[in-house]
Amino acid sequence: MGIDPVEPALSPTVGPKPAARPAVEIDPTAAPDPDPGVPAGPYSEPAGAAEAVGAAVAETHAPHPPSTDVPGGSRELLKLALPLIVSQSFMTVQVFVDTVLLSWHDPREMAASFPAVMWYWLFFGLLQVTAGYTSTFVAQYTGAKRPHRVGAAVWQGIHFAVVAGVLFLVVVPAAPHLIAVGGHTPEIQRLETIYLRCLAFAALPMLVMGAINGFFSGRGQTWTVLGIEAAGTAVNIVLALVLIFGEQGVTKVVHLTPDGEPIKLHLPGIPGTPEMGIEGAGWATVAGSWAAALFALALMLRKKYRDEFGTFSGWKPERELFRRLMVYGGPAGMQVFLDVLVFNAFTQLVGRLGDAALGATTLAIRLNMIAFLPMMGMGQAICIMVGQRLGGDRPDLAEKSTYTGLKWTFGYMSLIALAYVTIPTVLLSVFEGDKEPEQFAAIAALVPNLLLCVAVFSVADAINVSFAFALRGAGDTKYVTALTFALAWPLMVIPTAVVVFNGGNLYWCWVFATLHIIGMSVCFWFRFRGGKWKSMRVIEPGLSE
């Protein structure tokens, strides 16, 4: 794609220069000045220093020894990114387990789950990214050494989350009407409606958790985010196992080889528990979301955070700060809304080609999500690093961190793309259940060719994630939103509609989806190379503390 994978060297001409010091006579007999230690905070470098020192946000007020990490290098970025990657991996596990369990219970439930999720994320993604944009505010306040503003910024996100979460319940009565737009078979529509109604009750806690996670991730305390996500995922998976299959439990026959004896796996259920199927998966998600949100709130209100960051005293609404969150977070959320809107339209259109086409599309996108979500952890780390560096007036290090992240995301997704191409049948075998084998066979026959498209756009998505999150960390959210809207319809949605309504095949639809993602990667790259983002800030001007 023309992107130089080598980390750019620090330029002495970028960023503020240290003021010249007057010449003084040095007394060789004088005792050296005492070392004041490294100040607490995400970075210990003074603004404009060429030899900067990177460190994670301090958990205590005790001074830390200097770090040997190269600013903007892989080691510094991976320290921040690793917990976020693992955190996103928990979400991957959750998506994977839900998909597998539903495919074992009934392939139609698995097929119905994705369109319902797309309708959910169409509205929820807009709200979640807006609430979670607190991480960029926290990152820039932290980089500017203004910790007293951190708590107030997070609370603006929480206020938004509560109001938006309550309003989201409008989806419950609207669900049948939304689902009917897809024109899927009556049984699929019934299952989609059930799942969407359940998910609507998970919006409020998930929004609150997103806003609070910004407090921890924006300061670099990403292991805490990992713990919060792990708690919610554990509750979700345990309850999904219980509620989907009920008291009969989970039974799965594993065929090791064509000539070998099959192994029967059985996980007993709880007596008296009803078999709820896709509805059970939905309520398990709701319970896991509430568990994670309450855990996150309890952690944020600990005494040391109340004292240093005002996580309790900053609860009052601030009109100007809230406005800034909407001005910058709103377009970021709108970008997700538009992105999900086009893929929702794509899914609804593909569903008109039949249940097998819909099921194959669901499986292909779910397989992509399983691999894609961990990469989002790296994107979040890039966003945080850019925000902190710009808060400290070091755009040169922000740029270097972005290219470092690009190397890792590109390498990771290249390996994933290789798996899609070489072992598609192995990937599909995990989802094969013992019920409705003919229906699953019709779905599985289409997926390998779809994964060829997924392999191509997975590599392009590595570029999208790296540069889009870097621009988001700077506050360049309006461009990202406009680009998403401008490219998606002519490259993906309209051509897919033409194919579907003229009796075309599924594969052409996926070719257009691939072209759309490649086009976005090229545009994001040019925007980042332009450098306008380097002068952007989301926080109000103020003196460093």
Side-chain angles (χ1 to χ4, degrees):
M1 301 299 297
I3 298 174
D4 184 3
V6 179
E7 294 175 359
L10 291 180
S11 171
T13 63
V14 179
K17 298 182 179 179
R21 296 186 180 184
V24 295
E25 243 182 73
I26 300 176
D27 182 3
T29 64
D33 292 335
D35 182 3
V38 179
Y43 306 103
S44 58
E45 76 273 17
E51 297 287 331
V53 179
V57 173
E59 284 291 332
T60 66
H61 298 284
H64 295 274
S67 169
T68 59
D69 297 348
V70 176
S74 292
R75 184 173 178 179
E76 179 191 59
L77 184 64
L78 289 177
K79 279 185 176 180
L80 182 66
L82 182 59
L84 293 173
I85 292 171
V86 177
S87 173
Q88 291 293 331
S89 296
F90 279 115
M91 294 184 65
T92 299
V93 170
Q94 182 173 314
V95 171
F96 177 78
V97 170
D98 284 350
T99 304
V100 169
L101 293 180
L102 288 175
S103 67
W104 289 357
H105 187 260
D106 187 336
R108 290 172 299 182
E109 292 181 340
M110 181 272 296
S113 65
F114 186 72
V117 168
M118 292 300 290
W119 275 114
Y120 175 73
W121 274 96
L122 176 62
F123 306 109
F124 178 77
L126 165 65
L127 305 176
Q128 187 198 43
V129 174
T130 303
Y133 203 73
T134 54
S135 64
T136 299
F137 278 80
V138 171
Q140 292 197 15
Y141 277 132
T142 302
K145 295 179 170 50
R146 299 165 65 188
H148 71 286
R149 297 295 294 155
V150 167
V154 175
W155 272 105
Q156 306 316 302
I158 295 176
H159 295 323
F160 172 81
V162 171
V163 174
V166 172
L167 293 177
F168 198 89
L169 294 177
V170 173
V171 171
V172 175
H177 307 288
L178 296 174
I179 295 299
V181 173
H184 303 160
T185 60
E187 178 60 16
I188 292 292
Q189 287 193 41
R190 184 185 71 84
L191 295 172
E192 289 172 345
T193 300
I194 291 172
Y195 198 46
L196 179 57
R197 281 175 164 169
C198 292
L199 292 178
F201 289 93
L204 194 155
M206 291 178 73
L207 290 172
V208 170
M209 180 180 66
I212 297 175
N213 277 351
F215 167 72
F216 296 107
S217 63
R219 293 167 38 251
Q221 199 176 343
T222 49
W223 285 106
T224 303
V225 177
L226 171 60
I228 294 169
E229 296 285 356
T233 300
V235 172
N236 188 331
I237 291 177
V238 170
L239 288 180
L241 284 167
V242 173
L243 297 178
I244 291 176
F245 296 92
E247 63 181 359
Q248 70 176 1
V250 183
T251 301
K252 168 66 175 172
V253 177
V254 180
H255 300 276
L256 298 179
T257 63
D259 301 325
E261 278 295 321
I263 299 176
K264 187 175 183 179
L265 303 178
H266 180 67
L267 182 65
I270 299 176
T273 305
E275 180 181 349
M276 301 176 68
I278 195 171
E279 184 178 4
W283 289 119
T285 300
V286 174
S289 301
W290 274 108
L294 294 175
F295 183 39
L297 183 62
L299 290 177
M300 188 189 77
L301 294 178
R302 295 169 67 188
K303 186 178 186 304
K304 63 178 180 179
Y305 299 138
R306 296 199 307 267
D307 294 342
E308 184 175 0
F309 302 105
T311 57
F312 183 78
S313 60
W315 69 270
K316 296 179 181 179
E318 292 188 25
R319 178 177 298 180
E320 175 58 23
L321 186 55
F322 185 85
R323 185 192 69 81
R324 295 178 73 85
L325 178 64
M326 296 299 105
V327 167
Y328 293 102
M334 182 59 68
Q335 183 265 327
V336 175
F337 172 82
L338 294 175
D339 200 26
V340 176
L341 175 63
V342 298
F343 271 95
N344 187 28
F346 177 78
T347 304
Q348 302 300 330
L349 289 168
V350 167
R352 293 177 178 269
L353 297 176
D355 289 353
L358 177 61
T361 297
T362 297
L363 262 185
I365 296 179
R366 285 298 180 101
L367 282 169
N368 178 241
M369 287 176 63
I370 290 167
F372 180 80
L373 284 175
M375 187 174 64
M376 296 293 286
M378 179 61 75
Q380 291 171 3
I382 292 172
C383 180
I384 293 165
M385 193 67 73
V386 168
Q388 291 184 345
R389 294 304 195 188
L390 291 182
D393 290 326
R394 294 302 306 271
D396 55 327
L397 294 183
E399 182 176 21
K400 184 179 179 182
S401 296
T402 302
Y403 279 108
T404 300
L406 174 63
K407 291 193 304 182
W408 286 95
T409 56
F410 194 88
Y412 166 75
M413 290 309 291
S414 296
L415 292 176
I416 295 299
L418 182 62
Y420 290 149
V421 173
T422 57
I423 55 170
T425 54
V426 175
L427 299 175
L428 285 174
S429 65
V430 180
F431 299 92
E432 185 175 3
D434 301 317
K435 298 181 180 179
E436 306 288 347
E438 296 84 4
Q439 188 174 11
F440 184 83
I443 293 172
L446 299 172
V447 174
N449 286 332
L450 301 188
L451 289 180
L452 295 177
C453 292
V454 175
V456 174
F457 72 60
S458 292
V459 178
D461 257 338
I463 302 171
N464 285 336
V465 167
S466 299
F467 292 138
F469 273 88
L471 295 174
R472 184 184 297 180
D476 194 9
T477 54
K478 293 181 180 178
Y479 173 84
V480 176
T481 302
L483 177 67
T484 302
F485 179 79
L487 289 184
W489 295 93
L491 291 183
M492 177 178 168
V493 178
I494 295 175
T496 298
V498 172
V499 168
V500 170
F501 290 116
N502 284 279
N505 63 46
L506 176 65
Y507 302 133
W508 272 111
C509 299
W510 275 80
V511 168
F512 294 127
T514 304
L515 291 176
H516 161 58
I517 293 176
I518 292 174
M520 288 184 65
S521 68
V522 173
C523 292
F524 281 137
W525 175 51
F526 275 108
R527 179 67 172 187
F528 184 81
R529 288 290 296 270
K532 183 178 180 180
W533 59 272
K534 294 180 181 180
S535 61
M536 294 183 175
R537 304 293 185 273
V538 302
I539 60 176
E540 72 278 5
L543 297 176
S544 297
E545 296 184 345

